[in-house]
Amino acid sequence: MDGSSEAARSGRAGFRKIKIFDTTLRDGEQSPGMSMNLPEKIEMARQLERMGVDIIEAGFAISSPGDFENVKTIAETLKDSVVASLARASKLDIDRAWEAVKGAVSPRIHVFLATSGLHMKHKLNMTPDQVYEQAVEMTKLAARYCADVEFSAEDATRSDRGFLAKVIGGTIAAGATTINLPDTVGYTTPDEHYDFFMDMRERVPALEKVTMSSHCHNDLGLAVANSLAAIRAGVAQVECTVNGIGERAGNAALEEIVMTLFVRRESYKAETNIHTEEIMHASNMLTGITGVGVQPNKAIVGANAFAHEAGIHQHGVLSNPLTYEIMTPESVGLKESNLVLGKHSGRHAFGERLKRLGYDISKDELTKVFRKFKILADKNKVVSDSDISALVDETMVGEGAVGESSVGEQSIGETAFGEN
Ligand SMILES: [Zn+2]
């Protein structure tokens, strides 16, 4: 971290602080192919803490003995971040969650219960009155253990607003310090989500005394937009995951929310505690652990997200990077040297770059591609990631080793970089 990011974190006058609640290790891990073992979870949790995440949801303690151990160990390891465990609104769950997080410097119990008609009737088999009673009683129980209690009204966005307001009022009175209103099924839209939070604030004045939180899913590709609308409506905590992993189409992507608030801070008058230069590292770590990569054009962390950089160097037309950059690669932790390879680059650096771009090729193949790279580097001085991808694809396709080719797309991209 450098001095300037330190200054950015000290807080600007008139700027609201938005807490980042990361649920990569719970909601994220719940999705297919994302399971992590204990050492992997600890490594990830440490990186989240290093990145400045305010609250880390480490798991769902009652879901398995393994998850209990994970939450407990993370709780005992971390020092700066709040460590939360999820719990259904039942005594057994809450007892188990507290057992798991009580060793943390800053523990949180996160209790949830569904409030939508659909969920109450078809999943919980409970009447609204029973749901209200249970939400209030279980929040009270959690608050007896822990000063920091979050209550989530599952499927809040599809709940009857009058009933939801009653549950929110009841759980705040019972000791909840954070009220989270999830768009569990990714159904809402930004305008509607803004109105929803404004409406709830009007219906429940007590919300002003606690932290209001949003938790958005990406079924319609709107999770980040909805989270930002919620922030505009006064939410002070957003729940999100690294690379946007999570149930179905995923959760709101941490890096997209954080960088939007960073790049457009004057527009939102809000800021986070995230050390943005740690974002790439967190994204790569998660990809490395799970083996599940992000699409190349993924915002912020995709391999092509900053590919225009090389174009700029090649053409040398920019006197001011701001002409084409809304943020620098360095601001998310990409080093320029990682983006620019030239004729002076060695075989090792070249091999490392291929790995980072997701290529796993043999030594012989590396030798072939490296030779082509040297010829190109002599001509172009600078070779971009997309040039390298094209070289690899060309070499592999030439040998019939790779079925799918992105060469066509890459060359279109090249043209666009040059002309735009
Ligand atoms: Zn969720």
Side-chain angles (χ1 to χ4, degrees), residues 2 23 32 38 45 67 127 182 184 194 201 203 205 237 256 314 325 331 369 393-394 397:
D2 59 26
T23 184
L38 180 58
D67 223 28
T127 66
T184 305
Y194 174 83
R201 284 176 66 179
R203 288 173 189 257
Q237 171 183 291
E256 294 177 24
Q314 280 171 344
E325 276 183 355
S331 67
V369 184
D393 291 345
E394 188 186 89
V397 170

Side-chain angles (χ1 to χ4, degrees), residues 26-27 215 217 251:
R26 201 279 300 167
D27 213 330
H215 175 115
H217 277 271
N251 288 59

Side-chain angles (χ1 to χ4, degrees), residues 350 364 366-376:
F350 184 71
D364 284 349
L366 176 62
T367 306
K368 278 184 204 147
V369 184
F370 186 62
R371 208 175 293 140
K372 288 185 178 181
F373 158 74
K374 279 290 188 181
I375 294 166
L376 187 65

